[in-house]
Amino acid sequence: MGNKTNIQNDLPSSNSFLNTADVVVVGGGLAGLSLSILLSRSGYKTVLFEKEKYPFHKVCGEYISMESWNFIEDLGLNLSRLHLPIIQKLIVSAPDGSFLNTPLDPGGFGISRFFLDNELKNIAIENGAIIYDDTKVSDVLFKEDGFIVAFNGGRIATPVVAAAFGKRSNLDARWKRNFMLRKPGKLNNYIGVKYHIKGNFSEDTIALHNFKDGYCGISKIENECYCLCYLTTAKNLKENNNLIKKMEQNVLYKNPILKKIFSESSFLFSAPVTISQISFDKKMQVENHILMLGDAAGMITPLCGNGMSMALHSAKIAFENIQSFLDKKISRDEMEKQYVHQWQRQFASRLSTGRFIQKLFGRELITNLFIKIIKYFPFIIRKMIRQTHGKQF
Ligand SMILES: Cc1cc2nc3c(=O)[nH]c(=O)nc-3n(C[C@H](O)[C@H](O)[C@H](O)COP(=O)(O)OP(=O)(O)OC[C@H]3O[C@@H](n4cnc5c(N)ncnc54)[C@H](O)[C@@H]3O)c2cc1C
């Protein structure tokens, strides 16, 4: 059984019910936590389950596009007071080391997930949300117009479940979601690796360094640290005996800029944070009456740099529909249809552009050529950046 926070009753023994909740949220990343804050401060009894124990590190480049600034502040986190690095320039290097420099409009800011998720968890609790960390949801069943959520330690009944369990979860496998059944291809089977480092980098710049079948982002976060995070194929790792260090030396170091960064920076973790089996394939936004949020609804490729903003924005859209349903202004069917419609209107074309760019990058020769040519056409670069970003919400 997990850690309980802000809960009046002890969890019941297995197979009995933990009273009820207006909404159960599965997964306490950005989507799940922001939804819990919005719901609990509007007076709905909200229970969130997170399988890890806060605070914890997560594979993520930790660059948030500016579109989310006001929303996060409105949730109750005073970003202005944190003196976070503001990032307004982009450098992209090709595997051969040639590079381009461009302004990043509207840009973003850097903040670690270790800090941000924990702060949002605290705000959710202050607003009355009941949070169980270190507690994994094992299944969600829809029955007679309501749900039973099973977790390690008990079950809970609720009329609404929001699934915000990220890129890949035990529940994706349990529900045999479509993207899990696809064969390994160009849009799935990626791995992510993250370090926090210290070194001599520019504070207002996010750098994206390409290498064979992958790219590595570096940008500043809080406490004079930088986040170094890369995405590559599982094949690259396998060809290097599944050894991360060996892969870095044999593949990433071929880009001379990356070799210099890895050799000259101080690495703050004893081992990197890693994740495997990442898929950018299409997903459904509602599964068996459960609203899917954030990466669980569809994941944009990290090189577009705004998966976190999409996770936050999807929570806002879900909240408005859940509220109308709980207040009996719309039916369950209307809630689901409206959510899917609004989600697609907001994110579908961004995801397609992301998939297109993902297919382009990583191919060594094409990327080398692309960087050499595209730097003479800044308006195309600006257009690509615009198409993968949204407006403030
Ligand atoms: C290599 C890489 C780099 C990236 N860089 C950036 C970047 O720089 N900027 C950006 O905006 N985006 C970036 N992203 C994307 C970004 O990390 C995600 O889009 C974002 O974290 C999605 O938030 P979420 O709330 O949907 O999921 P998450 O933050 O992943 O949260 C899901 C949570 O659900 C929990 N969970 C899973 N299963 C269960 C269960 N059964 N029961 C209970 N809890 C469960 C997990 O432990 C997790 O904490 C990057 C992604 C990758 C892979």
Side-chain angles (χ1 to χ4, degrees):
M1 189 184 301
N3 263 16
K4 69 182 168 121
T5 330
N6 188 29
I7 190 153
Q8 290 80 35
N9 307 320
D10 267 340
L11 290 177
S13 58
S14 206
N15 294 330
S16 57
F17 282 105
L18 163 85
N19 39 56
T20 55
D22 292 327
V23 182
V24 169
V25 180
V26 185
L30 295 186
L33 287 166
S34 50
L35 177 66
S36 300
I37 294 171
L38 295 171
L39 287 165
S40 53
R41 80 179 179 194
S42 299
Y44 301 104
K45 184 176 175 188
T46 308
V47 175
L48 179 147
F49 294 102
E50 165 54 52
K51 72 178 168 59
E52 306 293 333
K53 191 165 165 28
Y54 294 103
F56 58 98
H57 289 289
K58 194 170 262 184
V59 173
C60 181
E62 304 184 329
Y63 158 89
I64 309 194
S65 61
M66 240 358 155
E67 66 194 84
S68 292
W69 182 278
N70 289 351
F71 180 69
I72 296 175
E73 287 223 314
D74 182 57
L75 289 176
L77 183 59
N78 192 334
L79 293 172
S80 315
R81 283 221 189 130
L82 296 173
H83 306 294
L84 297 167
I86 303 296
I87 297 161
Q88 287 175 319
K89 290 181 192 152
L90 169 70
I91 288 183
V92 186
S93 81
D96 65 4
S98 53
F99 64 94
L100 67 83
N101 238 310
T102 176
L104 195 56
D105 184 26
F109 57 100
I111 185 168
S112 73
R113 296 297 299 269
F114 188 87
F115 179 75
L116 176 61
D117 291 31
N118 196 50
E119 288 295 303
L120 293 179
K121 180 262 297 176
N122 291 338
I123 295 171
I125 291 169
E126 280 161 23
N127 279 284
I130 298 162
I131 298 200
Y132 283 86
D133 64 356
D134 208 5
T135 305
K136 191 178 195 173
V137 170
S138 52
D139 208 357
V140 181
L141 301 170
F142 184 73
K143 215 174 165 188
E144 292 161 13
D145 206 31
F147 297 91
I148 296 167
V149 178
F151 54 94
N152 47 342
R155 296 191 293 167
I156 180 167
T158 175
V160 179
V161 173
F165 47 59
K167 309 162 206 9
R168 193 181 187 92
S169 154
N170 57 317
L171 295 173
D172 289 319
R174 176 145 191 94
W175 301 344
K176 298 190 175 63
R177 294 185 74 194
N178 275 346
F179 77 95
M180 298 287 285
L181 307 173
R182 299 215 176 98
K183 291 199 179 114
K186 282 241 174 299
L187 288 173
N188 58 23
N189 219 11
Y190 285 89
I191 61 160
V193 178
K194 178 177 104 171
Y195 302 90
H196 282 172
I197 62 172
K198 286 200 171 184
N200 194 12
F201 308 103
S202 131
E203 300 194 355
D204 62 352
T205 302
I206 178 163
L208 200 59
H209 300 298
N210 286 276
F211 54 90
K212 178 180 157 282
D213 295 331
Y215 44 83
C216 174
I218 300 165
S219 54
K220 195 169 185 203
I221 50 169
E222 71 275 7
N223 295 336
E224 298 306 313
C225 293
Y226 288 78
C227 175
L228 182 155
C229 186
Y230 63 85
L231 184 93
T232 188
T233 55
K235 185 167 164 270
N236 245 349
L237 185 62
K238 201 166 165 206
E239 284 168 2
N240 286 279
N241 310 101
N242 290 321
L243 298 170
I244 286 182
K245 199 80 243 153
K246 188 171 173 194
M247 176 180 70
E248 286 168 354
Q249 284 166 352
N250 287 339
V251 184
L252 279 76
Y253 283 24
K254 295 242 166 80
N255 179 329
I257 302 178
L258 276 178
K259 184 176 182 186
K260 190 167 154 51
I261 292 168
F262 270 84
S263 321
E264 294 178 3
S265 309
S266 4
F267 282 70
L268 307 179
F269 298 159
S270 51
V273 191
T274 58
I275 180 173
S276 61
Q277 296 181 305
I278 303 170
S279 165
F280 303 110
D281 275 323
K282 283 188 184 158
K283 296 178 182 174
M284 305 280 278
Q285 287 79 52
V286 174
E287 297 266 8
N288 200 18
H289 306 286
I290 301 165
L291 302 194
M292 314 300 294
L293 273 65
D295 283 357
M299 189 177 166
I300 191 156
T301 56
L303 105 152
C304 300
N306 65 352
M308 287 193 273
S309 290
M310 286 178 49
L312 293 161
H313 197 164
S314 71
K316 185 177 183 196
I317 298 174
F319 165 70
E320 286 157 2
N321 287 294
I322 292 171
Q323 185 176 41
S324 297
F325 171 68
L326 290 174
D327 293 353
K328 303 199 175 3
K329 290 183 184 147
I330 56 173
S331 67
R332 180 181 296 283
D333 190 47
E334 284 166 329
M335 169 178 71
E336 292 172 13
K337 285 195 175 124
Q338 276 179 207
Y339 177 66
V340 173
H341 176 72
Q342 291 165 2
W343 191 98
Q344 298 210 339
R345 201 178 54 200
Q346 200 54 245
F347 306 123
S349 79
R350 275 196 242 180
L351 284 164
S352 313
T353 311
R355 280 187 211 104
F356 168 76
I357 303 177
Q358 177 71 28
K359 283 184 190 155
L360 189 75
F361 274 81
R363 295 190 211 167
E364 229 173 331
L365 287 175
I366 295 184
T367 317
N368 286 340
L369 201 64
F370 182 75
I371 300 294
K372 284 190 181 82
I373 296 173
I374 198 81
K375 65 179 173 190
Y376 298 108
F377 300 94
F379 64 96
I380 299 183
I381 304 173
R382 279 199 298 275
K383 191 161 184 217
M384 282 168 89
I385 293 171
R386 259 203 314 276
Q387 282 194 337
T388 55
H389 284 65
K391 296 198 172 69
Q392 280 188 15
F393 50 93

